[in-house]
PDB file of all heavy atoms in Angstrom:
ATOM      1  N   LEU V   1     -91.569 -90.988 159.445  1.00 65.00           N
ATOM      2  CA  LEU V   1     -90.975 -92.192 160.016  1.00 65.00           C
ATOM      3  C   LEU V   1     -92.058 -93.082 160.598  1.00 65.00           C
ATOM      4  O   LEU V   1     -92.927 -92.629 161.325  1.00 65.00           O
ATOM      5  CB  LEU V   1     -89.970 -91.832 161.116  1.00 65.00           C
ATOM      6  CG  LEU V   1     -88.618 -91.340 160.617  1.00 65.00           C
ATOM      7  CD1 LEU V   1     -87.800 -90.776 161.765  1.00 65.00           C
ATOM      8  CD2 LEU V   1     -87.856 -92.474 159.968  1.00 65.00           C
ATOM      9  N   LEU V   2     -91.982 -94.342 160.275  1.00 66.00           N
ATOM     10  CA  LEU V   2     -92.922 -95.302 160.839  1.00 66.00           C
ATOM     11  C   LEU V   2     -92.553 -95.604 162.289  1.00 66.00           C
ATOM     12  O   LEU V   2     -91.373 -95.626 162.634  1.00 66.00           O
ATOM     13  CB  LEU V   2     -92.876 -96.611 160.058  1.00 66.00           C
ATOM     14  CG  LEU V   2     -93.402 -96.580 158.638  1.00 66.00           C
ATOM     15  CD1 LEU V   2     -93.082 -97.899 157.957  1.00 66.00           C
ATOM     16  CD2 LEU V   2     -94.892 -96.357 158.634  1.00 66.00           C
ATOM     17  N   PRO V   3     -93.534 -95.842 163.137  1.00 60.00           N
ATOM     18  CA  PRO V   3     -93.199 -96.336 164.472  1.00 60.00           C
ATOM     19  C   PRO V   3     -92.687 -97.770 164.375  1.00 60.00           C
ATOM     20  O   PRO V   3     -93.120 -98.531 163.517  1.00 60.00           O
ATOM     21  CB  PRO V   3     -94.546 -96.291 165.209  1.00 60.00           C
ATOM     22  CG  PRO V   3     -95.564 -96.405 164.126  1.00 60.00           C
ATOM     23  CD  PRO V   3     -94.975 -95.718 162.926  1.00 60.00           C
ATOM     24  N   ALA V   4     -91.728 -98.117 165.205  1.00 53.00           N
ATOM     25  CA  ALA V   4     -91.177 -99.456 165.163  1.00 53.00           C
ATOM     26  C   ALA V   4     -92.269-100.495 165.365  1.00 53.00           C
ATOM     27  O   ALA V   4     -93.124-100.355 166.233  1.00 53.00           O
ATOM     28  CB  ALA V   4     -90.091 -99.622 166.232  1.00 53.00           C
ATOM     29  N   ARG V   5     -92.267-101.503 164.543  1.00 53.00           N
ATOM     30  CA  ARG V   5     -93.252-102.589 164.605  1.00 53.00           C
ATOM     31  C   ARG V   5     -94.672-102.031 164.573  1.00 53.00           C
ATOM     32  O   ARG V   5     -95.608-102.617 165.089  1.00 53.00           O
ATOM     33  CB  ARG V   5     -93.042-103.432 165.870  1.00 53.00           C
ATOM     34  CG  ARG V   5     -91.648-104.021 165.948  1.00 53.00           C
ATOM     35  CD  ARG V   5     -91.426-104.718 167.277  1.00 53.00           C
ATOM     36  NE  ARG V   5     -92.254-105.921 167.370  1.00 53.00           N
ATOM     37  CZ  ARG V   5     -91.894-107.116 166.934  1.00 53.00           C
ATOM     38  NH1 ARG V   5     -90.721-107.262 166.369  1.00 53.00           N
ATOM     39  NH2 ARG V   5     -92.692-108.145 167.061  1.00 53.00           N
ATOM     40  N   ARG V   6     -94.818-100.851 163.937  1.00 58.00           N
ATOM     41  CA  ARG V   6     -96.118-100.186 163.793  1.00 58.00           C
ATOM     42  C   ARG V   6     -96.799-100.021 165.145  1.00 58.00           C
ATOM     43  O   ARG V   6     -97.996-100.160 165.284  1.00 58.00           O
ATOM     44  CB  ARG V   6     -96.984-100.947 162.799  1.00 58.00           C
ATOM     45  CG  ARG V   6     -96.226-101.138 161.505  1.00 58.00           C
ATOM     46  CD  ARG V   6     -97.053-101.604 160.355  1.00 58.00           C
ATOM     47  NE  ARG V   6     -96.147-101.753 159.220  1.00 58.00           N
ATOM     48  CZ  ARG V   6     -96.346-101.254 158.028  1.00 58.00           C
ATOM     49  NH1 ARG V   6     -97.439-100.601 157.772  1.00 58.00           N
ATOM     50  NH2 ARG V   6     -95.485-101.420 157.061  1.00 58.00           N
ATOM     51  N   GLY V   7     -96.001 -99.733 166.157  1.00 51.00           N
ATOM     52  CA  GLY V   7     -96.523 -99.482 167.492  1.00 51.00           C
ATOM     53  C   GLY V   7     -95.881 -98.237 168.061  1.00 51.00           C
ATOM     54  O   GLY V   7     -95.504 -97.342 167.325  1.00 51.00           O
ATOM     55  N   PHE V   8     -95.721 -98.188 169.367  1.00 51.00           N
ATOM     56  CA  PHE V   8     -95.186 -96.994 170.006  1.00 51.00           C
ATOM     57  C   PHE V   8     -93.854 -97.262 170.708  1.00 51.00           C
ATOM     58  O   PHE V   8     -93.421 -96.479 171.525  1.00 51.00           O
ATOM     59  CB  PHE V   8     -96.197 -96.466 171.038  1.00 51.00           C
ATOM     60  CG  PHE V   8     -97.448 -95.942 170.414  1.00 51.00           C
ATOM     61  CD1 PHE V   8     -98.544 -96.760 170.223  1.00 51.00           C
ATOM     62  CD2 PHE V   8     -97.531 -94.616 170.026  1.00 51.00           C
ATOM     63  CE1 PHE V   8     -99.706 -96.282 169.652  1.00 51.00           C
ATOM     64  CE2 PHE V   8     -98.689 -94.123 169.453  1.00 51.00           C
ATOM     65  CZ  PHE V   8     -99.778 -94.948 169.262  1.00 51.00           C
ATOM     66  N   GLU V   9     -93.191 -98.383 170.399  1.00 53.00           N
ATOM     67  CA  GLU V   9     -91.983 -98.732 171.132  1.00 53.00           C
ATOM     68  C   GLU V   9     -90.801 -97.843 170.792  1.00 53.00           C
ATOM     69  O   GLU V   9     -89.871 -97.702 171.561  1.00 53.00           O
ATOM     70  CB  GLU V   9     -91.600-100.199 170.856  1.00 53.00           C
ATOM     71  CG  GLU V   9     -92.598-101.219 171.368  1.00 53.00           C
ATOM     72  CD  GLU V   9     -93.674-101.526 170.324  1.00 53.00           C
ATOM     73  OE1 GLU V   9     -93.775-100.768 169.353  1.00 53.00           O
ATOM     74  OE2 GLU V   9     -94.398-102.513 170.503  1.00 53.00           O
ATOM     75  N   GLY V  10     -90.788 -97.252 169.626  1.00 56.00           N
ATOM     76  CA  GLY V  10     -89.646 -96.442 169.210  1.00 56.00           C
ATOM     77  C   GLY V  10     -89.749 -96.131 167.743  1.00 56.00           C
ATOM     78  O   GLY V  10     -90.797 -96.289 167.128  1.00 56.00           O
ATOM     79  N   GLU V  11     -88.646 -95.699 167.153  1.00 66.00           N
ATOM     80  CA  GLU V  11     -88.660 -95.334 165.746  1.00 66.00           C
ATOM     81  C   GLU V  11     -88.117 -96.463 164.888  1.00 66.00           C
ATOM     82  O   GLU V  11     -87.268 -97.237 165.302  1.00 66.00           O
ATOM     83  CB  GLU V  11     -87.820 -94.071 165.525  1.00 66.00           C
ATOM     84  CG  GLU V  11     -88.451 -92.822 166.109  1.00 66.00           C
ATOM     85  CD  GLU V  11     -87.606 -91.596 165.829  1.00 66.00           C
ATOM     86  OE1 GLU V  11     -86.457 -91.763 165.397  1.00 66.00           O
ATOM     87  OE2 GLU V  11     -88.098 -90.485 166.053  1.00 66.00           O
ATOM     88  N   SER V  12     -88.603 -96.518 163.674  1.00 76.00           N
ATOM     89  CA  SER V  12     -88.112 -97.464 162.690  1.00 76.00           C
ATOM     90  C   SER V  12     -87.184 -96.723 161.742  1.00 76.00           C
ATOM     91  O   SER V  12     -87.383 -95.544 161.477  1.00 76.00           O
ATOM     92  CB  SER V  12     -89.291 -98.057 161.918  1.00 76.00           C
ATOM     93  OG  SER V  12     -88.831 -98.698 160.746  1.00 76.00           O
ATOM     94  N   PRO V  13     -86.171 -97.375 161.214  1.00 83.00           N
ATOM     95  CA  PRO V  13     -85.316 -96.718 160.219  1.00 83.00           C
ATOM     96  C   PRO V  13     -85.985 -96.610 158.852  1.00 83.00           C
ATOM     97  O   PRO V  13     -85.422 -96.031 157.932  1.00 83.00           O
ATOM     98  CB  PRO V  13     -84.079 -97.628 160.166  1.00 83.00           C
ATOM     99  CG  PRO V  13     -84.594 -98.975 160.553  1.00 83.00           C
ATOM    100  CD  PRO V  13     -85.681 -98.716 161.564  1.00 83.00           C
ATOM    101  N   VAL V  14     -87.176 -97.178 158.706  1.00 88.00           N
ATOM    102  CA  VAL V  14     -87.876 -97.154 157.421  1.00 88.00           C
ATOM    103  C   VAL V  14     -88.736 -95.894 157.334  1.00 88.00           C
ATOM    104  O   VAL V  14     -89.487 -95.570 158.249  1.00 88.00           O
ATOM    105  CB  VAL V  14     -88.763 -98.405 157.255  1.00 88.00           C
ATOM    106  CG1 VAL V  14     -89.484 -98.387 155.912  1.00 88.00           C
ATOM    107  CG2 VAL V  14     -87.915 -99.672 157.376  1.00 88.00           C
ATOM    108  N   ILE V  15     -88.616 -95.196 156.210  1.00 88.00           N
ATOM    109  CA  ILE V  15     -89.401 -93.987 155.977  1.00 88.00           C
ATOM    110  C   ILE V  15     -90.737 -94.376 155.348  1.00 88.00           C
ATOM    111  O   ILE V  15     -90.799 -95.261 154.500  1.00 88.00           O
ATOM    112  CB  ILE V  15     -88.656 -93.026 155.033  1.00 88.00           C
ATOM    113  CG1 ILE V  15     -87.266 -92.703 155.572  1.00 88.00           C
ATOM    114  CG2 ILE V  15     -89.449 -91.747 154.797  1.00 88.00           C
ATOM    115  CD1 ILE V  15     -87.240 -91.931 156.848  1.00 88.00           C
ATOM    116  N   ALA V  16     -91.807 -93.718 155.759  1.00 85.00           N
ATOM    117  CA  ALA V  16     -93.117 -93.947 155.149  1.00 85.00           C
ATOM    118  C   ALA V  16     -93.413 -92.831 154.171  1.00 85.00           C
ATOM    119  O   ALA V  16     -93.280 -91.656 154.496  1.00 85.00           O
ATOM    120  CB  ALA V  16     -94.206 -93.991 156.215  1.00 85.00           C
ATOM    121  N   LEU V  17     -93.792 -93.189 152.945  1.00 85.00           N
ATOM    122  CA  LEU V  17     -94.280 -92.211 151.974  1.00 85.00           C
ATOM    123  C   LEU V  17     -95.748 -92.533 151.707  1.00 85.00           C
ATOM    124  O   LEU V  17     -96.077 -93.275 150.791  1.00 85.00           O
ATOM    125  CB  LEU V  17     -93.469 -92.275 150.679  1.00 85.00           C
ATOM    126  CG  LEU V  17     -92.066 -91.677 150.724  1.00 85.00           C
ATOM    127  CD1 LEU V  17     -91.390 -91.808 149.375  1.00 85.00           C
ATOM    128  CD2 LEU V  17     -92.099 -90.226 151.156  1.00 85.00           C
ATOM    129  N   PRO V  18     -96.643 -92.012 152.539  1.00 80.00           N
ATOM    130  CA  PRO V  18     -98.057 -92.372 152.398  1.00 80.00           C
ATOM    131  C   PRO V  18     -98.622 -91.899 151.071  1.00 80.00           C
ATOM    132  O   PRO V  18     -98.373 -90.785 150.621  1.00 80.00           O
ATOM    133  CB  PRO V  18     -98.725 -91.655 153.573  1.00 80.00           C
ATOM    134  CG  PRO V  18     -97.806 -90.537 153.907  1.00 80.00           C
ATOM    135  CD  PRO V  18     -96.424 -91.037 153.616  1.00 80.00           C
ATOM    136  N   GLU V  19     -99.366 -92.780 150.426  1.00 81.00           N
ATOM    137  CA  GLU V  19     -99.975 -92.462 149.142  1.00 81.00           C
ATOM    138  C   GLU V  19    -101.074 -91.424 149.341  1.00 81.00           C
ATOM    139  O   GLU V  19    -102.066 -91.665 150.011  1.00 81.00           O
ATOM    140  CB  GLU V  19    -100.563 -93.735 148.545  1.00 81.00           C
ATOM    141  CG  GLU V  19    -101.078 -93.594 147.141  1.00 81.00           C
ATOM    142  CD  GLU V  19    -101.573 -94.936 146.631  1.00 81.00           C
ATOM    143  OE1 GLU V  19    -100.737 -95.745 146.206  1.00 81.00           O
ATOM    144  OE2 GLU V  19    -102.787 -95.163 146.695  1.00 81.00           O
ATOM    145  N   SER V  20    -100.888 -90.239 148.769  1.00 78.00           N
ATOM    146  CA  SER V  20    -101.825 -89.142 148.969  1.00 78.00           C
ATOM    147  C   SER V  20    -102.865 -89.046 147.872  1.00 78.00           C
ATOM    148  O   SER V  20    -103.966 -88.554 148.094  1.00 78.00           O
ATOM    149  CB  SER V  20    -101.068 -87.814 149.068  1.00 78.00           C
ATOM    150  OG  SER V  20    -100.101 -87.871 150.085  1.00 78.00           O
ATOM    151  N   THR V  21    -102.524 -89.450 146.679  1.00 82.00           N
ATOM    152  CA  THR V  21    -103.493 -89.436 145.582  1.00 82.00           C
ATOM    153  C   THR V  21    -103.180 -90.593 144.650  1.00 82.00           C
ATOM    154  O   THR V  21    -102.030 -90.985 144.499  1.00 82.00           O
ATOM    155  CB  THR V  21    -103.468 -88.101 144.820  1.00 82.00           C
ATOM    156  OG1 THR V  21    -104.504 -88.088 143.846  1.00 82.00           O
ATOM    157  CG2 THR V  21    -102.136 -87.860 144.133  1.00 82.00           C
ATOM    158  N   LYS V  22    -104.209 -91.154 144.038  1.00 84.00           N
ATOM    159  CA  LYS V  22    -104.058 -92.346 143.220  1.00 84.00           C
ATOM    160  C   LYS V  22    -104.825 -92.173 141.925  1.00 84.00           C
ATOM    161  O   LYS V  22    -105.841 -91.497 141.865  1.00 84.00           O
ATOM    162  CB  LYS V  22    -104.578 -93.573 143.985  1.00 84.00           C
ATOM    163  CG  LYS V  22    -104.260 -94.910 143.319  1.00 84.00           C
ATOM    164  CD  LYS V  22    -104.666 -96.055 144.226  1.00 84.00           C
ATOM    165  CE  LYS V  22    -104.262 -97.392 143.622  1.00 84.00           C
ATOM    166  NZ  LYS V  22    -104.610 -98.524 144.514  1.00 84.00           N
ATOM    167  N   GLY V  23    -104.330 -92.806 140.877  1.00 86.00           N
ATOM    168  CA  GLY V  23    -105.024 -92.747 139.596  1.00 86.00           C
ATOM    169  C   GLY V  23    -104.697 -91.473 138.842  1.00 86.00           C
ATOM    170  O   GLY V  23    -103.630 -90.887 139.004  1.00 86.00           O
ATOM    171  N   ALA V  24    -105.623 -91.029 138.010  1.00 90.00           N
ATOM    172  CA  ALA V  24    -105.411 -89.866 137.154  1.00 90.00           C
ATOM    173  C   ALA V  24    -106.461 -88.802 137.430  1.00 90.00           C
ATOM    174  O   ALA V  24    -107.327 -88.529 136.594  1.00 90.00           O
ATOM    175  CB  ALA V  24    -105.439 -90.278 135.690  1.00 90.00           C
ATOM    176  N   PRO V  25    -106.429 -88.173 138.620  1.00 90.00           N
ATOM    177  CA  PRO V  25    -107.386 -87.106 138.901  1.00 90.00           C
ATOM    178  C   PRO V  25    -107.083 -85.874 138.061  1.00 90.00           C
ATOM    179  O   PRO V  25    -105.994 -85.743 137.486  1.00 90.00           O
ATOM    180  CB  PRO V  25    -107.159 -86.816 140.393  1.00 90.00           C
ATOM    181  CG  PRO V  25    -105.753 -87.241 140.636  1.00 90.00           C
ATOM    182  CD  PRO V  25    -105.498 -88.401 139.724  1.00 90.00           C
ATOM    183  N   ALA V  26    -108.018 -84.961 137.985  1.00 93.00           N
ATOM    184  CA  ALA V  26    -107.825 -83.730 137.242  1.00 93.00           C
ATOM    185  C   ALA V  26    -106.658 -82.949 137.842  1.00 93.00           C
ATOM    186  O   ALA V  26    -106.467 -82.958 139.068  1.00 93.00           O
ATOM    187  CB  ALA V  26    -109.094 -82.886 137.283  1.00 93.00           C
ATOM    188  N   PRO V  27    -105.865 -82.277 136.996  1.00 95.00           N
ATOM    189  CA  PRO V  27    -104.743 -81.497 137.526  1.00 95.00           C
ATOM    190  C   PRO V  27    -105.147 -80.521 138.624  1.00 95.00           C
ATOM    191  O   PRO V  27    -104.395 -80.315 139.582  1.00 95.00           O
ATOM    192  CB  PRO V  27    -104.217 -80.772 136.289  1.00 95.00           C
ATOM    193  CG  PRO V  27    -104.549 -81.685 135.150  1.00 95.00           C
ATOM    194  CD  PRO V  27    -105.872 -82.281 135.522  1.00 95.00           C
ATOM    195  N   SER V  28    -106.333 -79.929 138.522  1.00 94.00           N
ATOM    196  CA  SER V  28    -106.759 -78.977 139.549  1.00 94.00           C
ATOM    197  C   SER V  28    -106.864 -79.644 140.914  1.00 94.00           C
ATOM    198  O   SER V  28    -106.525 -79.038 141.943  1.00 94.00           O
ATOM    199  CB  SER V  28    -108.108 -78.358 139.160  1.00 94.00           C
ATOM    200  OG  SER V  28    -109.094 -79.367 139.003  1.00 94.00           O
ATOM    201  N   ARG V  29    -107.312 -80.898 140.953  1.00 91.00           N
ATOM    202  CA  ARG V  29    -107.419 -81.612 142.230  1.00 91.00           C
ATOM    203  C   ARG V  29    -106.033 -81.946 142.776  1.00 91.00           C
ATOM    204  O   ARG V  29    -105.784 -81.820 143.984  1.00 91.00           O
ATOM    205  CB  ARG V  29    -108.226 -82.888 142.055  1.00 91.00           C
ATOM    206  CG  ARG V  29    -108.377 -83.699 143.342  1.00 91.00           C
ATOM    207  CD  ARG V  29    -109.407 -84.809 143.194  1.00 91.00           C
ATOM    208  NE  ARG V  29    -109.484 -85.606 144.404  1.00 91.00           N
ATOM    209  CZ  ARG V  29    -108.813 -86.736 144.594  1.00 91.00           C
ATOM    210  NH1 ARG V  29    -108.034 -87.219 143.635  1.00 91.00           N
ATOM    211  NH2 ARG V  29    -108.925 -87.418 145.720  1.00 91.00           N
ATOM    212  N   VAL V  30    -105.122 -82.376 141.903  1.00 92.00           N
ATOM    213  CA  VAL V  30    -103.764 -82.675 142.355  1.00 92.00           C
ATOM    214  C   VAL V  30    -103.105 -81.419 142.918  1.00 92.00           C
ATOM    215  O   VAL V  30    -102.463 -81.452 143.972  1.00 92.00           O
ATOM    216  CB  VAL V  30    -102.919 -83.249 141.199  1.00 92.00           C
ATOM    217  CG1 VAL V  30    -101.492 -83.529 141.661  1.00 92.00           C
ATOM    218  CG2 VAL V  30    -103.549 -84.527 140.656  1.00 92.00           C
ATOM    219  N   LEU V  31    -103.284 -80.298 142.230  1.00 94.00           N
ATOM    220  CA  LEU V  31    -102.676 -79.054 142.682  1.00 94.00           C
ATOM    221  C   LEU V  31    -103.274 -78.586 143.999  1.00 94.00           C
ATOM    222  O   LEU V  31    -102.573 -78.031 144.850  1.00 94.00           O
ATOM    223  CB  LEU V  31    -102.839 -77.984 141.607  1.00 94.00           C
ATOM    224  CG  LEU V  31    -102.050 -78.236 140.310  1.00 94.00           C
ATOM    225  CD1 LEU V  31    -102.480 -77.261 139.229  1.00 94.00           C
ATOM    226  CD2 LEU V  31    -100.558 -78.142 140.558  1.00 94.00           C
ATOM    227  N   ALA V  32    -104.576 -78.782 144.173  1.00 89.00           N
ATOM    228  CA  ALA V  32    -105.213 -78.408 145.433  1.00 89.00           C
ATOM    229  C   ALA V  32    -104.676 -79.256 146.578  1.00 89.00           C
ATOM    230  O   ALA V  32    -104.401 -78.750 147.681  1.00 89.00           O
ATOM    231  CB  ALA V  32    -106.730 -78.551 145.324  1.00 89.00           C
ATOM    232  N   MET V  33    -104.501 -80.558 146.342  1.00 86.00           N
ATOM    233  CA  MET V  33    -103.936 -81.425 147.372  1.00 86.00           C
ATOM    234  C   MET V  33    -102.485 -81.054 147.671  1.00 86.00           C
ATOM    235  O   MET V  33    -102.048 -81.040 148.820  1.00 86.00           O
ATOM    236  CB  MET V  33    -104.032 -82.882 146.931  1.00 86.00           C
ATOM    237  CG  MET V  33    -105.450 -83.393 146.783  1.00 86.00           C
ATOM    238  SD  MET V  33    -105.501 -85.110 146.233  1.00 86.00           S
ATOM    239  CE  MET V  33    -104.829 -85.936 147.655  1.00 86.00           C
ATOM    240  N   LEU V  34    -101.734 -80.727 146.610  1.00 90.00           N
ATOM    241  CA  LEU V  34    -100.341 -80.336 146.788  1.00 90.00           C
ATOM    242  C   LEU V  34    -100.242 -79.093 147.663  1.00 90.00           C
ATOM    243  O   LEU V  34     -99.373 -79.006 148.543  1.00 90.00           O
ATOM    244  CB  LEU V  34     -99.697 -80.086 145.422  1.00 90.00           C
ATOM    245  CG  LEU V  34     -98.232 -79.643 145.435  1.00 90.00           C
ATOM    246  CD1 LEU V  34     -97.341 -80.742 146.003  1.00 90.00           C
ATOM    247  CD2 LEU V  34     -97.774 -79.264 144.035  1.00 90.00           C
ATOM    248  N   ALA V  35    -101.137 -78.144 147.440  1.00 88.00           N
ATOM    249  CA  ALA V  35    -101.115 -76.915 148.245  1.00 88.00           C
ATOM    250  C   ALA V  35    -101.392 -77.209 149.704  1.00 88.00           C
ATOM    251  O   ALA V  35    -100.741 -76.654 150.603  1.00 88.00           O
ATOM    252  CB  ALA V  35    -102.139 -75.924 147.688  1.00 88.00           C
ATOM    253  N   ARG V  36    -102.342 -78.095 149.991  1.00 81.00           N
ATOM    254  CA  ARG V  36    -102.676 -78.407 151.386  1.00 81.00           C
ATOM    255  C   ARG V  36    -101.554 -79.171 152.066  1.00 81.00           C
ATOM    256  O   ARG V  36    -101.221 -78.918 153.229  1.00 81.00           O
ATOM    257  CB  ARG V  36    -103.986 -79.197 151.444  1.00 81.00           C
ATOM    258  CG  ARG V  36    -105.215 -78.397 151.057  1.00 81.00           C
ATOM    259  CD  ARG V  36    -106.482 -79.099 151.480  1.00 81.00           C
ATOM    260  NE  ARG V  36    -106.691 -80.351 150.789  1.00 81.00           N
ATOM    261  CZ  ARG V  36    -107.415 -80.485 149.671  1.00 81.00           C
ATOM    262  NH1 ARG V  36    -107.962 -79.415 149.121  1.00 81.00           N
ATOM    263  NH2 ARG V  36    -107.581 -81.650 149.117  1.00 81.00           N
ATOM    264  N   VAL V  37    -100.977 -80.112 151.354  1.00 82.00           N
ATOM    265  CA  VAL V  37     -99.894 -80.900 151.948  1.00 82.00           C
ATOM    266  C   VAL V  37     -98.655 -80.034 152.178  1.00 82.00           C
ATOM    267  O   VAL V  37     -98.031 -80.079 153.244  1.00 82.00           O
ATOM    268  CB  VAL V  37     -99.556 -82.099 151.044  1.00 82.00           C
ATOM    269  CG1 VAL V  37     -98.287 -82.790 151.531  1.00 82.00           C
ATOM    270  CG2 VAL V  37    -100.703 -83.094 151.035  1.00 82.00           C
ATOM    271  N   SER V  38     -98.286 -79.239 151.173  1.00 86.00           N
ATOM    272  CA  SER V  38     -97.062 -78.445 151.287  1.00 86.00           C
ATOM    273  C   SER V  38     -97.191 -77.347 152.332  1.00 86.00           C
ATOM    274  O   SER V  38     -96.187 -76.903 152.891  1.00 86.00           O
ATOM    275  CB  SER V  38     -96.699 -77.831 149.931  1.00 86.00           C
ATOM    276  OG  SER V  38     -97.736 -76.996 149.455  1.00 86.00           O
ATOM    277  N   ALA V  39     -98.438 -76.901 152.628  1.00 81.00           N
ATOM    278  CA  ALA V  39     -98.626 -75.899 153.678  1.00 81.00           C
ATOM    279  C   ALA V  39     -98.151 -76.431 155.021  1.00 81.00           C
ATOM    280  O   ALA V  39     -97.820 -75.657 155.921  1.00 81.00           O
ATOM    281  CB  ALA V  39    -100.096 -75.489 153.759  1.00 81.00           C
ATOM    282  N   HIS V  40     -98.109 -77.747 155.170  1.00 77.00           N
ATOM    283  CA  HIS V  40     -97.624 -78.378 156.398  1.00 77.00           C
ATOM    284  C   HIS V  40     -96.315 -79.118 156.145  1.00 77.00           C
ATOM    285  O   HIS V  40     -95.958 -80.041 156.879  1.00 77.00           O
ATOM    286  CB  HIS V  40     -98.680 -79.330 156.953  1.00 77.00           C
ATOM    287  CG  HIS V  40     -99.913 -78.623 157.437  1.00 77.00           C
ATOM    288  ND1 HIS V  40    -100.096 -78.277 158.749  1.00 77.00           N
ATOM    289  CD2 HIS V  40    -100.997 -78.176 156.768  1.00 77.00           C
ATOM    290  CE1 HIS V  40    -101.259 -77.655 158.881  1.00 77.00           C
ATOM    291  NE2 HIS V  40    -101.814 -77.581 157.688  1.00 77.00           N
ATOM    292  N   GLU V  41     -95.606 -78.697 155.085  1.00 84.00           N
ATOM    293  CA  GLU V  41     -94.301 -79.251 154.743  1.00 84.00           C
ATOM    294  C   GLU V  41     -94.343 -80.761 154.539  1.00 84.00           C
ATOM    295  O   GLU V  41     -93.418 -81.476 154.927  1.00 84.00           O
ATOM    296  CB  GLU V  41     -93.252 -78.859 155.787  1.00 84.00           C
ATOM    297  CG  GLU V  41     -93.028 -77.364 155.855  1.00 84.00           C
ATOM    298  CD  GLU V  41     -91.907 -76.952 156.795  1.00 84.00           C
ATOM    299  OE1 GLU V  41     -91.201 -77.854 157.301  1.00 84.00           O
ATOM    300  OE2 GLU V  41     -91.742 -75.750 157.015  1.00 84.00           O
ATOM    301  N   GLY V  42     -95.417 -81.228 153.936  1.00 83.00           N
ATOM    302  CA  GLY V  42     -95.527 -82.636 153.608  1.00 83.00           C
ATOM    303  C   GLY V  42     -95.149 -82.897 152.161  1.00 83.00           C
ATOM    304  O   GLY V  42     -94.982 -81.983 151.359  1.00 83.00           O
ATOM    305  N   VAL V  43     -95.003 -84.180 151.809  1.00 88.00           N
ATOM    306  CA  VAL V  43     -94.686 -84.616 150.447  1.00 88.00           C
ATOM    307  C   VAL V  43     -95.932 -85.242 149.842  1.00 88.00           C
ATOM    308  O   VAL V  43     -96.545 -86.114 150.458  1.00 88.00           O
ATOM    309  CB  VAL V  43     -93.525 -85.639 150.461  1.00 88.00           C
ATOM    310  CG1 VAL V  43     -93.310 -86.226 149.077  1.00 88.00           C
ATOM    311  CG2 VAL V  43     -92.245 -84.979 150.954  1.00 88.00           C
ATOM    312  N   LEU V  44     -96.304 -84.798 148.668  1.00 89.00           N
ATOM    313  CA  LEU V  44     -97.444 -85.397 147.970  1.00 89.00           C
ATOM    314  C   LEU V  44     -96.941 -86.564 147.144  1.00 89.00           C
ATOM    315  O   LEU V  44     -96.137 -86.400 146.223  1.00 89.00           O
ATOM    316  CB  LEU V  44     -98.133 -84.368 147.078  1.00 89.00           C
ATOM    317  CG  LEU V  44     -99.389 -84.886 146.360  1.00 89.00           C
ATOM    318  CD1 LEU V  44    -100.501 -85.145 147.366  1.00 89.00           C
ATOM    319  CD2 LEU V  44     -99.865 -83.903 145.303  1.00 89.00           C
ATOM    320  N   SER V  45     -97.398 -87.768 147.462  1.00 90.00           N
ATOM    321  CA  SER V  45     -96.983 -88.980 146.770  1.00 90.00           C
ATOM    322  C   SER V  45     -98.115 -89.449 145.867  1.00 90.00           C
ATOM    323  O   SER V  45     -99.206 -89.777 146.346  1.00 90.00           O
ATOM    324  CB  SER V  45     -96.620 -90.069 147.795  1.00 90.00           C
ATOM    325  OG  SER V  45     -96.164 -91.235 147.160  1.00 90.00           O
ATOM    326  N   TRP V  46     -97.866 -89.487 144.580  1.00 93.00           N
ATOM    327  CA  TRP V  46     -98.896 -89.762 143.570  1.00 93.00           C
ATOM    328  C   TRP V  46     -98.587 -91.088 142.885  1.00 93.00           C
ATOM    329  O   TRP V  46     -97.607 -91.224 142.175  1.00 93.00           O
ATOM    330  CB  TRP V  46     -98.895 -88.615 142.558  1.00 93.00           C
ATOM    331  CG  TRP V  46     -99.990 -88.653 141.537  1.00 93.00           C
ATOM    332  CD1 TRP V  46    -101.025 -89.543 141.444  1.00 93.00           C
ATOM    333  CD2 TRP V  46    -100.169 -87.728 140.453  1.00 93.00           C
ATOM    334  NE1 TRP V  46    -101.819 -89.238 140.377  1.00 93.00           N
ATOM    335  CE2 TRP V  46    -101.326 -88.120 139.752  1.00 93.00           C
ATOM    336  CE3 TRP V  46     -99.468 -86.611 140.013  1.00 93.00           C
ATOM    337  CZ2 TRP V  46    -101.794 -87.452 138.623  1.00 93.00           C
ATOM    338  CZ3 TRP V  46     -99.921 -85.935 138.893  1.00 93.00           C
ATOM    339  CH2 TRP V  46    -101.069 -86.342 138.218  1.00 93.00           C
TER     340      TRP V  46
END
């Protein structure tokens, strides 16, 4: 969740899906990133 007005006043109803990987990296790199993100219950956005 994004902070409201990108500050600390409260929560925004808009969900943030931060871009974790871009382009066409080797599958091994994508899988390594996926493992690190998922270990903390994150979503890998490609």
Side-chain angles (χ1 to χ4, degrees):
L1 282 170
L2 292 171
R5 302 174 68 88
R6 307 193 181 230
F8 293 92
E9 295 89 346
E11 290 182 348
S12 165
V14 180
I15 305 294
L17 286 180
E19 187 177 279
S20 304
T21 185
K22 190 173 184 178
S28 59
R29 180 169 177 265
V30 179
L31 293 170
M33 295 179 68
L34 179 64
R36 291 195 295 267
V37 171
S38 59
H40 293 265
E41 297 185 7
V43 173
L44 183 68
S45 182
W46 187 4

